[in-house]
Amino acid sequence: MLRDLKELEDYAIAASDGNIGKVKDFLFDDLSWAVRYFVIETGFWLSSHKVLITPIAIQKTDWSNKTLSVLITKDQVKNSPDIDTDKPVSRQHEMDYLSFYGYPYYWEGNQLWGGDMYPYLLNPDYNDALTELRNPNNTHFFDESKREKEQKSDPDLRSAEEVIGYHIHATDGDIGHVSGLLVEEETWAVRYLVIDTSNWWGGHQVLISPEWIKKVQWFDRSVSVDVNRQLIKEAPEYSSVEQLNREHEMAIYEHYGLTGYWARKPKSNV
């Protein structure tokens, strides 16, 4: 199932010993288009700091009660490496953060989450077979030479809140603006940008896959896509009040003459 990230704002993050805070934003990387962190406002118990929580930590999601349960404690959050969420997150910050929790680096591997498609499979508490990840001497995840190499490459993490409102440039002109991001529940992959074309066609909303994006220009708040305006105009209309189903997705990909991501998605290693 796909969820609009806007609907997940203010979801509670429940640790094993109490609530950590509420979701205020999401950081996704604009290379693989996956949500890598939730930005959490902690409230008074931690002086209303903002902290990052990775989807790797999620144990279960209670959609009806708007709660994400995570396999960490409030004390761990309190003692985790300090990251200024109002500034760009460096690769070094990510490495320190993931190492603190004993998580492998999601960028090491050929799948969406390193060696797998699903973030929870990177959690050492998810399966006893993964307990070796707790060992700080595990060279696969904590090799110092690899650490030095990764320090030189900063991630391309972007705020989901920031990208809302970005203008969409088709191959032959402007077409609308980003009004939402739809993510897949299990993988936290961004599958579609919701495009509001109201300035052109009176409120028509369509979906654009990140696969069709040529370039994101952060300096002028725009997204260029490799399709023309007419093709977008004739695409199946999207309604936020209706649940997007696979039949609708198939119609979208067939309209553009492409194979759906679900048919190309590699299987889990577990």
Side-chain angles (χ1 to χ4, degrees), residues 5 8 11-28 34-43 45-46 49-61 67-85 89 93-94 97-98 100-101 103 106 113 119-120 123 157 187-188:
L5 285 182
L8 303 183
Y11 266 47
I13 300 294
S16 57
D17 54 354
N19 280 358
I20 295 172
K22 293 187 175 182
V23 178
K24 293 302 177 183
D25 196 4
F26 306 85
L27 299 183
F28 68 93
V35 171
R36 300 304 184 185
Y37 300 100
F38 310 118
V39 180
I40 311 301
E41 192 170 88
T42 58
W45 78 272
L46 199 56
H49 282 351
K50 287 184 179 178
V51 298
L52 299 182
I53 298 294
T54 168
I56 297 172
I58 293 178
Q59 179 184 27
K60 64 180 179 179
T61 304
T67 301
L68 303 175
S69 297
V70 292
L71 288 168
I72 55 179
T73 65
K74 294 174 71 174
D75 197 51
Q76 283 179 299
V77 174
K78 182 178 179 180
N79 295 316
S80 63
D82 189 35
I83 297 177
D84 188 344
T85 59
V89 178
H93 284 142
E94 285 199 277
Y97 172 90
L98 295 171
F100 173 81
Y101 285 105
Y103 301 150
Y106 66 79
W113 288 92
Y120 59 85
N123 194 320
L157 299 178
T187 64
W188 290 96

Side-chain angles (χ1 to χ4, degrees), residues 170 175 206 208 225 227-235 256:
I175 203 65
V206 295
I208 291 291
V225 294
V227 289
N228 62 49
R229 296 177 64 188
Q230 189 63 32
L231 196 60
I232 295 174
K233 180 179 181 180
E234 295 173 352
Y256 289 102

